[in-house]
Amino acid sequence: MDFEDLCNTGLVLGLGNYSPSSLTSKNPTKNGDHIRKTAEPSLTLSLSGAKKDDSDLYRQDSAASSFPTVSVKREREVRSEDEEEDGPNDRKKLRLSKAQAALLEESFKQHSTLNPKQKQDLARELKLRPRQVEVWFQNRRARTKLKQTELDCEFLKKCCETLTDENRRLHKELQELKLSQPLYMQLPAATLTMCPSCERIGGAVADNTAKTFIKPHFYNPFTNPSAAC
DNA sequence: GGGGTCAATATGCCCG
DNA sequence: CGGGCATATTGACCCC
């Protein structure tokens, strides 16, 4: 479901400051900035290798790296044979070990972005490249945001359902009230006037209808403040 | 085999 | 202008 669907119910949701733009990953294209504005600024520290190249610089280690803590090998190293021949072209799938993932998660809980020192330390601790840690955090933030978007969507959907029900209920109530009230009560209030002296309702300004039924006892000071009967 | 997950890559924007 | 970031996409891998 997308946000448009939500809005097509004919209801207008008043949900405080909720901004639909934070919802629509539909057209996220350029600006991820609404997120970043709130994120902590981080210093930059460049590693000697170029940005895009460090993966190549370190590519070999995808097979070699293991996380020391529990001497965990890579999680699903079923295909250990291929890993020997770590060709230059292959983009093998590194699977982080449970211990690595746990530590990354732990760290993410504390701060969803890393400054260069944190990145370095974490990378060292995990026996990963800083770039890998960085990528992991990027992906992790993306996952978090996606999940949050889904939750927001669910929430709005619920709101929409609730309001639709409420709207239906109120319509029904109004219908019932209309049926149970005297006829003049069914006139729009603004068309009714009440004589200040006798306190009886006069009809609307040029009402033909009011003649036919009991004089209503409403007074509209704006239409006829000093009018007498 | 196809769908899901996730690390890695590509791209574009923003900010210092 | 370079680095960091968000976002989209790719591709390896797993599981049913």
Side-chain angles (χ1 to χ4, degrees):
Chain A
M1 173 177 64
D2 54 18
F3 188 72
E4 254 175 66
D5 291 336
L6 282 174
C7 296
N8 284 340
T9 60
L11 288 174
V12 176
L13 298 176
L15 292 175
N17 288 332
Y18 199 94
S19 141
S21 66
S22 71
L23 239 188
T24 53
S25 335
K26 209 175 177 180
N27 186 15
T29 38
K30 317 296 171 200
N31 288 338
D33 289 332
H34 49 288
I35 293 292
R36 192 169 2 134
K37 295 274 194 298
T38 62
E40 287 182 17
S42 61
L43 297 170
T44 65
L45 179 146
S46 60
L47 294 169
S48 53
K51 188 175 170 184
K52 304 274 190 224
D53 297 338
D54 64 345
S55 56
D56 291 322
L57 278 174
Y58 293 88
R59 180 152 284 156
Q60 36 78 28
D61 78 351
S62 71
S65 76
S66 63
F67 188 52
T69 40
V70 227
S71 74
V72 193
K73 292 186 195 160
R74 285 201 289 122
E75 211 55 8
R76 303 160 189 171
E77 56 169 336
V78 192
R79 264 147 286 274
S80 49
E81 286 93 358
D82 329 357
E83 291 174 2
E84 256 106 84
E85 36 160 41
D86 209 2
N89 56 342
D90 43 16
R91 169 185 165 172
K92 285 187 181 163
K93 183 79 180 174
L94 163 76
R95 233 41 211 201
L96 298 175
S97 71
K98 277 186 181 150
Q100 283 172 318
L103 188 51
L104 284 163
E105 282 292 343
E106 196 53 43
S107 176
F108 185 81
K109 269 186 215 160
Q110 289 162 22
H111 23 64
S112 61
T113 54
L114 293 174
N115 64 35
K117 184 172 186 317
Q118 290 169 325
K119 195 200 295 181
Q120 287 286 355
D121 292 347
L122 200 51
R124 207 178 0 254
E125 202 171 344
L126 291 163
K127 294 269 191 295
L128 291 173
R129 284 167 279 137
R131 172 70 183 154
Q132 286 176 296
V133 174
E134 183 181 316
V135 165
W136 187 90
F137 268 74
Q138 278 171 7
N139 286 322
R140 186 64 178 77
R141 282 191 294 272
R143 269 177 261 143
T144 302
K145 193 181 178 190
L146 185 64
K147 193 173 282 180
Q148 186 57 49
T149 302
E150 284 167 7
L151 288 175
D152 289 347
C153 201
E154 274 306 301
F155 174 71
L156 280 181
K157 206 169 149 189
K158 289 256 161 46
C159 283
C160 186
E161 283 164 11
T162 306
L163 286 174
T164 305
D165 288 350
E166 178 70 357
N167 192 30
R168 203 171 294 135
R169 191 187 65 74
L170 287 171
H171 271 297
K172 199 175 161 201
E173 197 178 315
L174 183 63
Q175 283 302 110
E176 286 166 3
L177 278 173
K178 276 184 180 170
L179 288 175
S180 65
Q181 295 297 328
L183 212 49
Y184 70 84
M185 295 286 281
Q186 297 174 32
L187 286 174
T191 66
L192 302 172
T193 60
M194 179 190 286
C195 170
S197 50
C198 71
E199 292 193 341
R200 290 165 83 186
I201 298 288
V205 190
D207 64 322
N208 298 325
T209 48
K211 286 181 201 157
T212 58
F213 38 84
I214 320 159
K215 290 193 171 184
H217 285 256
F218 289 111
Y219 172 58
N220 183 343
F222 297 104
T223 53
N224 205 354
S226 59
C229 310

